[in-house]
Amino acid sequence: MKLNIHTQLDYSFTEPTDVVLQLEAAPLDEQQVEAAYIAISPTAAFARVAGHDGIGDRVVLNVESRLTVDYTATVTLNRLAMDYASLPATALHALPGGVLDYLAASRFCPSDLFGTVAESEFAGLAGGARIAAISDWIGHYLTYMAGSSTQYTTAMDTFVARQGVCRDYAHLLITLARASEIPARFSSVYGLGVEPQDFHAVAEVFLGDAWHLVDPTGMADPSGIVRIGAGRDAADVPFLSSFGFATFIGQSVEVWEV
């Protein structure tokens, strides 16, 4: 599958401000980035650094008063379709060192508070079968509602409110997976079929010695997902971080199949 991506951002600032962007498709074995181009308004400083876990790049800027970004790319996806539900969990002693970090609680994913919930709701299930059940449970009990959460909403808040957006769905799945001793991380992506079109968030779970994408909102199939970055939760991979006050002017994201 080949997808086109077009993203535009427009923000203003009252004083010189440091900004970090992570919105470009990551070059990976499973996705080849072609004809990518990013246009950024003049800045006082510009640098590229590796993203979390070496996935994608972060662009570090110093912006004086206005930031506009225009990003386009064509991405060819060759991700192998796999039914993760049939995969076994990887024994903890066999997990790669970097994967162990994704068993721990994090800012938006307090998995240490969900052990009882995970066992009571998904008893008797393990590995991919438990992840599939968690995803189905989230899809059944949560209502997708734009504006129902904020940048401070945690998985516990979402569990109580039973509503949220893609970020909240991903955080809750990650939390319940970690509470089930299955490594899970947050992935910022572009997704074909996401409505309304915007930056999208999904979970990744480590099963059968590899990471697998899971979208508990059901909007995007892994075959139509372009990965941007990954981390413990949304705090690690925001598309824009401003170290000072920023005023939103406009933003658009478009993803379509070639």
Side-chain angles (χ1 to χ4, degrees):
M1 180 182 293
K2 183 173 288 191
L3 301 181
N4 280 338
I5 298 164
H6 185 205
T7 298
Q8 293 180 304
L9 305 180
D10 192 352
Y11 287 79
S12 68
F13 302 83
T14 57
E15 60 184 9
T17 303
D18 291 321
V19 174
V20 179
L21 301 175
Q22 189 168 9
L23 53 80
E24 298 167 284
L28 301 166
D29 290 342
E30 68 202 48
Q31 59 185 45
Q32 284 72 54
V33 182
E34 309 164 12
Y37 178 76
I38 187 166
I40 299 175
S41 53
T43 62
F46 178 101
R48 280 188 178 275
V49 298
H52 200 84
D53 281 356
I55 299 173
D57 281 350
R58 293 168 173 155
V59 178
V60 184
L61 310 169
N62 183 265
V63 180
E64 293 187 344
S65 60
R66 187 77 172 266
L67 172 65
T68 61
V69 180
D70 194 317
Y71 170 67
T72 60
T74 300
V75 182
T76 297
L77 294 165
N78 55 14
R79 187 174 295 116
L80 296 177
M82 181 173 290
D83 179 14
Y84 67 83
S86 63
L87 295 174
T90 305
L92 266 63
H93 66 267
L95 290 172
V99 175
L100 279 170
D101 294 342
Y102 294 107
L103 285 171
S106 59
R107 177 179 176 184
F108 294 111
C109 300
S111 52
D112 52 334
L113 304 179
F114 277 79
T116 301
V117 174
E119 282 308 307
S120 63
E121 293 291 341
F122 312 108
L125 297 172
R130 177 170 281 213
I131 294 298
I134 291 171
S135 184
D136 289 345
W137 187 94
I138 291 172
H140 177 75
Y141 285 104
L142 264 61
T143 299
Y144 193 96
M145 186 177 297
S148 61
S149 60
T150 72
Q151 60 181 320
Y152 305 110
T153 299
T154 70
M156 180 62 79
D157 298 326
T158 301
F159 179 76
V160 172
R162 300 296 169 96
Q163 62 186 17
V165 294
C166 60
R167 156 191 166 121
D168 308 306
Y169 278 58
H171 280 156
L172 186 52
L173 189 144
I174 291 165
T175 299
L176 289 168
R178 292 178 186 169
S180 303
E181 298 184 353
I182 298 171
R185 66 186 182 187
F186 185 95
S187 190
S188 61
V189 305
Y190 292 107
L192 183 66
V194 172
E195 292 294 340
Q197 290 202 338
D198 203 342
F199 294 104
H200 194 46
V202 300
E204 292 185 64
V205 295
F206 195 84
L207 296 165
D209 301 324
W211 288 104
H212 300 274
L213 294 165
V214 183
D215 184 0
T217 71
M219 287 194 287
D221 187 88
S223 63
I225 286 175
V226 175
R227 296 168 70 202
I228 300 171
R232 293 163 297 180
D233 52 37
D236 284 339
V237 282
F239 70 89
L240 184 149
S241 295
S242 174
F243 295 86
F245 184 75
T247 300
F248 171 82
I249 297 174
Q251 174 181 306
S252 66
V253 174
E254 297 175 277
V255 181
W256 67 99
E257 188 172 1
V258 177

